[in-house]
């Protein structure tokens, strides 16, 4: 089927690439649909995604391993395989405490405000 991704295969592939990389990281954007993005991110133990800005909305699911997410305002969470958390809308970092693979789901733009018109009050609108 077109458009389907095997997350187990992606996790294995990108973790192998991260283990070969000097910086211990590897990532792949596999879904790009309008403002929606999904990426697999592999980090070897001790490697980090340095502090960076958050998109308008995002979640992080740990497929393998254990990571710590820290935000500037003091928020932090340790997430292990199978856990999912929303990403704070502030600068944050992610550190792998074990070799880890993450599924990042993000929305990169907020939709335009939706204007709803009640046709009962405006009968000339079809």
């Amino acid at each position: 089927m077109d458009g389907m991704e095997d997350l187990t295969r992606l996790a294995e592939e990108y973790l192998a690439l991260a283990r070969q990389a000097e910086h211990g990281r590897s990532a792949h954007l596999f879904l790009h649909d309008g403002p929606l993005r999904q990426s697999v991110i592999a980090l070897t133990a001790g490697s980090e995604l340095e502090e960076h800005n958050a998109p308008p909305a995002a979640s992080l699911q740990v497929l393998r391993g254990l990571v710590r997410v820290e935000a500037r305002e003091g928020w932090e969470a340790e997430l292990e395989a199978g856990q999912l958390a929303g990403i704070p809308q502030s600068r944050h970092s992610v550190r792998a405490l074990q070799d880890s693979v993450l599924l990042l789901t993000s929305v990169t733009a907020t939709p335009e405000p939706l204007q709803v018109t009640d046709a009962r009050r405006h009968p000339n609108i079809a």
Side-chain angles (χ1 to χ4, degrees), residues 70-76 88-91:
E70 295 181 2
R72 264 196 182 171
E73 69 276 355
W75 181 90
E76 76 174 53
Q89 289 188 337
S90 63
R91 291 185 61 78

Side-chain angles (χ1 to χ4, degrees), residues 14-122:
Y14 286 90
L15 187 53
L17 290 170
R19 287 175 175 150
Q20 295 171 10
E22 185 177 321
H23 49 68
R25 299 184 308 263
S26 181
H28 173 62
L29 173 66
F30 65 88
L31 178 78
H32 181 176
D33 184 8
L36 177 64
R37 309 280 189 277
Q38 283 194 302
S39 301
V40 64
I41 302 169
L43 303 166
T44 57
S47 64
E48 181 176 21
L49 297 175
E50 292 82 13
E51 189 176 275
H52 56 280
N53 291 327
S59 67
L60 195 62
Q61 180 179 1
V62 180
L63 301 175
R64 292 185 183 183
L66 175 68
V67 299
R68 178 178 295 125
V69 183
E70 295 181 2
R72 264 196 182 171
E73 69 276 355
W75 181 90
E76 76 174 53
E78 282 192 8
L79 303 170
E80 62 185 20
Q83 293 184 316
L84 172 90
I87 302 290
Q89 289 188 337
S90 63
R91 291 185 61 78
H92 63 281
S93 63
V94 180
R95 173 174 291 277
L97 304 176
Q98 301 172 353
D99 285 1
S100 300
V101 181
L102 315 171
L103 174 64
L104 172 65
T105 302
S106 62
V107 176
T108 59
T110 54
E112 294 297 319
L114 180 64
Q115 183 175 6
V116 178
T117 304
D118 186 343
R120 294 172 297 181
R121 295 176 189 233
H122 303 280

